[in-house]
mmCIF file of all heavy atoms in Angstrom:
data_model
loop_
_atom_site.group_PDB
_atom_site.id
_atom_site.type_symbol
_atom_site.label_atom_id
_atom_site.label_comp_id
_atom_site.label_asym_id
_atom_site.label_seq_id
_atom_site.Cartn_x
_atom_site.Cartn_y
_atom_site.Cartn_z
ATOM 1 N N SER A 991 5.620 -20.163 15.869
ATOM 2 C CA SER A 991 4.634 -20.077 14.832
ATOM 3 C C SER A 991 5.106 -19.427 13.505
ATOM 4 O O SER A 991 4.720 -19.840 12.355
ATOM 5 C CB SER A 991 3.400 -19.184 15.257
ATOM 6 O OG SER A 991 2.647 -19.827 16.270
ATOM 7 N N PHE A 992 6.093 -18.546 13.694
ATOM 8 C CA PHE A 992 6.732 -18.033 12.423
ATOM 9 C C PHE A 992 7.452 -19.095 11.691
ATOM 10 O O PHE A 992 7.275 -19.214 10.510
ATOM 11 C CB PHE A 992 7.682 -16.824 12.885
ATOM 12 C CG PHE A 992 8.490 -16.389 11.744
ATOM 13 C CD1 PHE A 992 7.909 -15.431 10.833
ATOM 14 C CD2 PHE A 992 9.717 -16.666 11.609
ATOM 15 C CE1 PHE A 992 8.604 -14.874 9.793
ATOM 16 C CE2 PHE A 992 10.527 -16.111 10.419
ATOM 17 C CZ PHE A 992 9.840 -15.267 9.716
ATOM 18 N N PHE A 993 8.207 -19.919 12.272
ATOM 19 C CA PHE A 993 8.959 -21.070 11.671
ATOM 20 C C PHE A 993 7.988 -22.123 11.182
ATOM 21 O O PHE A 993 8.164 -22.769 10.215
ATOM 22 C CB PHE A 993 9.969 -21.607 12.535
ATOM 23 C CG PHE A 993 11.154 -20.587 12.732
ATOM 24 C CD1 PHE A 993 11.371 -20.146 13.976
ATOM 25 C CD2 PHE A 993 11.896 -20.200 11.670
ATOM 26 C CE1 PHE A 993 12.414 -19.155 14.157
ATOM 27 C CE2 PHE A 993 12.907 -19.339 11.913
ATOM 28 C CZ PHE A 993 13.168 -18.832 13.085
ATOM 29 N N GLU A 994 6.803 -22.395 11.863
ATOM 30 C CA GLU A 994 5.788 -23.343 11.440
ATOM 31 C C GLU A 994 5.090 -22.788 10.161
ATOM 32 O O GLU A 994 4.652 -23.641 9.309
ATOM 33 C CB GLU A 994 4.760 -23.530 12.585
ATOM 34 C CG GLU A 994 5.095 -24.376 13.641
ATOM 35 C CD GLU A 994 4.000 -24.489 14.685
ATOM 36 O OE1 GLU A 994 2.888 -24.048 14.278
ATOM 37 O OE2 GLU A 994 4.217 -24.981 15.799
ATOM 38 N N SER A 995 5.131 -21.412 10.019
ATOM 39 C CA SER A 995 4.397 -21.001 8.891
ATOM 40 C C SER A 995 5.117 -21.319 7.508
ATOM 41 O O SER A 995 4.535 -21.469 6.459
ATOM 42 C CB SER A 995 4.215 -19.416 8.945
ATOM 43 O OG SER A 995 5.545 -18.863 8.780
ATOM 44 N N ILE A 996 6.439 -21.469 7.662
ATOM 45 C CA ILE A 996 7.159 -21.870 6.463
ATOM 46 C C ILE A 996 6.831 -23.292 6.041
ATOM 47 O O ILE A 996 6.624 -23.567 4.926
ATOM 48 C CB ILE A 996 8.786 -21.729 6.689
ATOM 49 C CG1 ILE A 996 9.055 -20.281 7.036
ATOM 50 C CG2 ILE A 996 9.569 -22.270 5.537
ATOM 51 C CD1 ILE A 996 10.478 -20.062 7.515
ATOM 52 N N LYS A 997 6.739 -24.180 7.088
ATOM 53 C CA LYS A 997 6.474 -25.606 6.780
ATOM 54 C C LYS A 997 4.928 -25.715 6.274
ATOM 55 O O LYS A 997 4.632 -26.519 5.340
ATOM 56 C CB LYS A 997 6.649 -26.422 8.042
ATOM 57 C CG LYS A 997 6.274 -27.873 7.892
ATOM 58 C CD LYS A 997 6.560 -28.574 9.245
ATOM 59 C CE LYS A 997 5.594 -28.044 10.319
ATOM 60 N NZ LYS A 997 5.717 -28.732 11.484
ATOM 61 N N TYR A 998 4.004 -24.981 6.931
ATOM 62 C CA TYR A 998 2.580 -25.223 6.724
ATOM 63 C C TYR A 998 2.184 -24.737 5.409
ATOM 64 O O TYR A 998 1.425 -25.307 4.589
ATOM 65 C CB TYR A 998 1.805 -24.429 7.831
ATOM 66 C CG TYR A 998 0.355 -24.582 7.608
ATOM 67 C CD1 TYR A 998 -0.388 -25.784 7.731
ATOM 68 C CD2 TYR A 998 -0.452 -23.453 7.250
ATOM 69 C CE1 TYR A 998 -1.732 -25.836 7.672
ATOM 70 C CE2 TYR A 998 -1.762 -23.485 7.045
ATOM 71 C CZ TYR A 998 -2.401 -24.674 7.268
ATOM 72 O OH TYR A 998 -3.767 -24.720 7.073
ATOM 73 N N VAL A 999 2.662 -23.556 4.950
ATOM 74 C CA VAL A 999 2.170 -22.995 3.688
ATOM 75 C C VAL A 999 3.398 -22.706 2.800
ATOM 76 O O VAL A 999 3.662 -21.636 2.258
ATOM 77 C CB VAL A 999 1.397 -21.684 3.890
ATOM 78 C CG1 VAL A 999 0.030 -22.034 4.364
ATOM 79 C CG2 VAL A 999 2.070 -20.739 4.849
ATOM 80 N N GLY A 1000 4.279 -23.641 2.651
ATOM 81 C CA GLY A 1000 5.482 -23.543 1.777
ATOM 82 C C GLY A 1000 5.160 -23.245 0.362
ATOM 83 O O GLY A 1000 6.003 -22.634 -0.416
ATOM 84 N N HIS A 1001 3.913 -23.694 -0.169
ATOM 85 C CA HIS A 1001 3.624 -23.458 -1.534
ATOM 86 C C HIS A 1001 3.329 -22.035 -1.753
ATOM 87 O O HIS A 1001 3.271 -21.606 -2.937
ATOM 88 C CB HIS A 1001 2.431 -24.278 -1.921
ATOM 89 C CG HIS A 1001 1.237 -24.086 -1.144
ATOM 90 N ND1 HIS A 1001 1.043 -24.604 0.210
ATOM 91 C CD2 HIS A 1001 0.085 -23.319 -1.345
ATOM 92 C CE1 HIS A 1001 -0.103 -24.269 0.678
ATOM 93 N NE2 HIS A 1001 -0.694 -23.455 -0.262
ATOM 94 N N LEU A 1002 3.080 -21.172 -0.708
ATOM 95 C CA LEU A 1002 2.859 -19.732 -0.840
ATOM 96 C C LEU A 1002 4.203 -18.917 -0.795
ATOM 97 O O LEU A 1002 4.105 -17.744 -0.795
ATOM 98 C CB LEU A 1002 1.942 -19.321 0.178
ATOM 99 C CG LEU A 1002 0.501 -19.755 0.144
ATOM 100 C CD1 LEU A 1002 -0.302 -19.137 1.306
ATOM 101 C CD2 LEU A 1002 -0.131 -19.230 -1.175
ATOM 102 N N PHE A 1003 5.257 -19.661 -0.863
ATOM 103 C CA PHE A 1003 6.586 -18.988 -0.637
ATOM 104 C C PHE A 1003 6.760 -17.880 -1.779
ATOM 105 O O PHE A 1003 7.278 -16.736 -1.456
ATOM 106 C CB PHE A 1003 7.719 -19.926 -0.616
ATOM 107 C CG PHE A 1003 8.966 -19.301 -0.359
ATOM 108 C CD1 PHE A 1003 9.312 -18.839 0.937
ATOM 109 C CD2 PHE A 1003 9.909 -19.107 -1.431
ATOM 110 C CE1 PHE A 1003 10.565 -18.247 1.213
ATOM 111 C CE2 PHE A 1003 11.105 -18.515 -1.101
ATOM 112 C CZ PHE A 1003 11.485 -18.045 0.173
ATOM 113 N N PRO A 1004 6.430 -18.164 -3.028
ATOM 114 C CA PRO A 1004 6.557 -17.168 -4.054
ATOM 115 C C PRO A 1004 5.757 -15.888 -3.815
ATOM 116 O O PRO A 1004 6.145 -14.696 -4.050
ATOM 117 C CB PRO A 1004 6.240 -17.790 -5.407
ATOM 118 C CG PRO A 1004 6.335 -19.238 -5.071
ATOM 119 C CD PRO A 1004 6.102 -19.478 -3.645
ATOM 120 N N VAL A 1005 4.530 -16.096 -3.300
ATOM 121 C CA VAL A 1005 3.684 -14.906 -3.037
ATOM 122 C C VAL A 1005 4.137 -14.250 -1.786
ATOM 123 O O VAL A 1005 4.167 -12.985 -1.805
ATOM 124 C CB VAL A 1005 2.203 -15.355 -2.674
ATOM 125 C CG1 VAL A 1005 1.265 -14.381 -2.335
ATOM 126 C CG2 VAL A 1005 1.664 -16.218 -3.907
ATOM 127 N N ALA A 1006 4.713 -14.935 -0.801
ATOM 128 C CA ALA A 1006 5.335 -14.316 0.272
ATOM 129 C C ALA A 1006 6.608 -13.361 -0.170
ATOM 130 O O ALA A 1006 6.828 -12.281 0.385
ATOM 131 C CB ALA A 1006 5.737 -15.287 1.319
ATOM 132 N N PHE A 1007 7.261 -13.930 -1.075
ATOM 133 C CA PHE A 1007 8.394 -13.223 -1.752
ATOM 134 C C PHE A 1007 7.951 -11.817 -2.314
ATOM 135 O O PHE A 1007 8.433 -10.798 -2.140
ATOM 136 C CB PHE A 1007 9.222 -13.946 -2.659
ATOM 137 C CG PHE A 1007 10.257 -13.244 -3.284
ATOM 138 C CD1 PHE A 1007 11.451 -12.919 -2.567
ATOM 139 C CD2 PHE A 1007 10.258 -12.825 -4.566
ATOM 140 C CE1 PHE A 1007 12.501 -12.222 -3.232
ATOM 141 C CE2 PHE A 1007 11.129 -12.147 -5.230
ATOM 142 C CZ PHE A 1007 12.341 -11.822 -4.509
ATOM 143 N N VAL A 1008 6.823 -11.907 -3.066
ATOM 144 C CA VAL A 1008 6.269 -10.703 -3.631
ATOM 145 C C VAL A 1008 5.766 -9.749 -2.499
ATOM 146 O O VAL A 1008 5.967 -8.562 -2.628
ATOM 147 C CB VAL A 1008 5.099 -11.136 -4.605
ATOM 148 C CG1 VAL A 1008 4.286 -9.953 -5.063
ATOM 149 C CG2 VAL A 1008 5.597 -11.886 -5.814
ATOM 150 N N ARG A 1009 5.165 -10.355 -1.546
ATOM 151 C CA ARG A 1009 4.593 -9.465 -0.372
ATOM 152 C C ARG A 1009 5.842 -8.769 0.293
ATOM 153 O O ARG A 1009 5.764 -7.577 0.616
ATOM 154 C CB ARG A 1009 3.979 -10.375 0.576
ATOM 155 C CG ARG A 1009 3.370 -9.551 1.764
ATOM 156 C CD ARG A 1009 3.205 -10.402 3.013
ATOM 157 N NE ARG A 1009 4.477 -10.482 3.679
ATOM 158 C CZ ARG A 1009 4.756 -11.718 4.373
ATOM 159 N NH1 ARG A 1009 3.994 -12.721 4.500
ATOM 160 N NH2 ARG A 1009 6.011 -11.761 4.822
ATOM 161 N N ILE A 1126 -5.270 -14.342 -1.105
ATOM 162 C CA ILE A 1126 -4.501 -15.542 -0.740
ATOM 163 C C ILE A 1126 -4.218 -15.467 0.815
ATOM 164 O O ILE A 1126 -4.160 -16.487 1.436
ATOM 165 C CB ILE A 1126 -3.253 -15.626 -1.663
ATOM 166 C CG1 ILE A 1126 -3.588 -16.087 -2.998
ATOM 167 C CG2 ILE A 1126 -2.336 -16.765 -0.977
ATOM 168 C CD1 ILE A 1126 -2.501 -16.185 -3.930
ATOM 169 N N GLY A 1127 -4.041 -14.272 1.331
ATOM 170 C CA GLY A 1127 -3.695 -14.215 2.777
ATOM 171 C C GLY A 1127 -2.204 -14.377 2.816
ATOM 172 O O GLY A 1127 -1.733 -15.226 3.563
ATOM 173 N N ALA A 1128 -1.431 -13.670 2.165
ATOM 174 C CA ALA A 1128 0.009 -13.859 1.997
ATOM 175 C C ALA A 1128 0.790 -13.619 3.299
ATOM 176 O O ALA A 1128 1.972 -14.024 3.408
ATOM 177 C CB ALA A 1128 0.580 -12.975 0.976
ATOM 178 N N GLY A 1129 0.108 -13.090 4.284
ATOM 179 C CA GLY A 1129 0.803 -12.800 5.565
ATOM 180 C C GLY A 1129 0.988 -14.107 6.368
ATOM 181 O O GLY A 1129 1.694 -14.237 7.442
ATOM 182 N N ARG A 1130 0.268 -15.189 5.950
ATOM 183 C CA ARG A 1130 0.402 -16.458 6.684
ATOM 184 C C ARG A 1130 1.675 -17.217 6.395
ATOM 185 O O ARG A 1130 2.030 -18.124 7.106
ATOM 186 C CB ARG A 1130 -0.804 -17.416 6.399
ATOM 187 C CG ARG A 1130 -2.065 -16.834 7.051
ATOM 188 C CD ARG A 1130 -3.135 -17.741 6.783
ATOM 189 N NE ARG A 1130 -4.185 -17.127 5.824
ATOM 190 C CZ ARG A 1130 -5.055 -17.776 5.101
ATOM 191 N NH1 ARG A 1130 -5.103 -19.043 5.195
ATOM 192 N NH2 ARG A 1130 -5.810 -17.109 4.356
ATOM 193 N N CYS A 1131 2.286 -16.874 5.379
ATOM 194 C CA CYS A 1131 3.570 -17.512 4.959
ATOM 195 C C CYS A 1131 4.700 -16.600 5.274
ATOM 196 O O CYS A 1131 4.743 -15.539 4.768
ATOM 197 C CB CYS A 1131 3.534 -17.936 3.432
ATOM 198 S SG CYS A 1131 5.092 -18.903 2.927
ATOM 199 N N ILE A 1132 5.583 -17.008 6.167
ATOM 200 C CA ILE A 1132 6.785 -16.254 6.566
ATOM 201 C C ILE A 1132 6.247 -14.923 7.056
ATOM 202 O O ILE A 1132 6.646 -13.730 6.712
ATOM 203 C CB ILE A 1132 7.787 -16.010 5.437
ATOM 204 C CG1 ILE A 1132 8.103 -17.299 4.763
ATOM 205 C CG2 ILE A 1132 8.982 -15.425 6.128
ATOM 206 C CD1 ILE A 1132 9.035 -17.149 3.584
ATOM 207 N N GLY A 1133 5.182 -14.932 7.980
ATOM 208 C CA GLY A 1133 4.757 -13.783 8.520
ATOM 209 C C GLY A 1133 4.093 -14.015 9.873
ATOM 210 O O GLY A 1133 3.852 -15.145 10.222
ATOM 211 N N TYR A 1136 0.221 -15.888 10.600
ATOM 212 C CA TYR A 1136 0.018 -17.334 10.822
ATOM 213 C C TYR A 1136 -0.276 -17.599 12.303
ATOM 214 O O TYR A 1136 -1.063 -18.491 12.577
ATOM 215 C CB TYR A 1136 1.193 -18.152 10.319
ATOM 216 C CG TYR A 1136 1.026 -19.675 10.454
ATOM 217 C CD1 TYR A 1136 0.277 -20.406 9.613
ATOM 218 C CD2 TYR A 1136 1.711 -20.316 11.478
ATOM 219 C CE1 TYR A 1136 0.001 -21.771 9.863
ATOM 220 C CE2 TYR A 1136 1.581 -21.687 11.678
ATOM 221 C CZ TYR A 1136 0.653 -22.366 10.854
ATOM 222 O OH TYR A 1136 0.606 -23.786 11.092
ATOM 223 N N TYR A 1139 -3.771 -16.677 12.762
ATOM 224 C CA TYR A 1139 -4.625 -17.513 11.869
ATOM 225 C C TYR A 1139 -4.929 -18.880 12.560
ATOM 226 O O TYR A 1139 -5.888 -19.474 12.464
ATOM 227 C CB TYR A 1139 -4.029 -17.852 10.575
ATOM 228 C CG TYR A 1139 -4.741 -18.746 9.656
ATOM 229 C CD1 TYR A 1139 -5.858 -18.422 9.025
ATOM 230 C CD2 TYR A 1139 -4.209 -20.082 9.311
ATOM 231 C CE1 TYR A 1139 -6.515 -19.325 8.298
ATOM 232 C CE2 TYR A 1139 -4.882 -20.953 8.590
ATOM 233 C CZ TYR A 1139 -6.047 -20.595 8.009
ATOM 234 O OH TYR A 1139 -6.709 -21.441 7.260
#
Side-chain angles (χ1 to χ4, degrees):
S991 294
F992 177 77
F993 290 114
E994 282 179 14
S995 72
I996 298 170
K997 176 179 66 171
Y998 177 70
V999 284
H1001 61 282
L1002 289 179
F1003 186 74
V1005 178
F1007 177 73
V1008 170
R1009 184 203 77 211
I1126 291 177
R1130 286 185 251 161
C1131 182
I1132 312 175
Y1136 181 74
Y1139 175 72

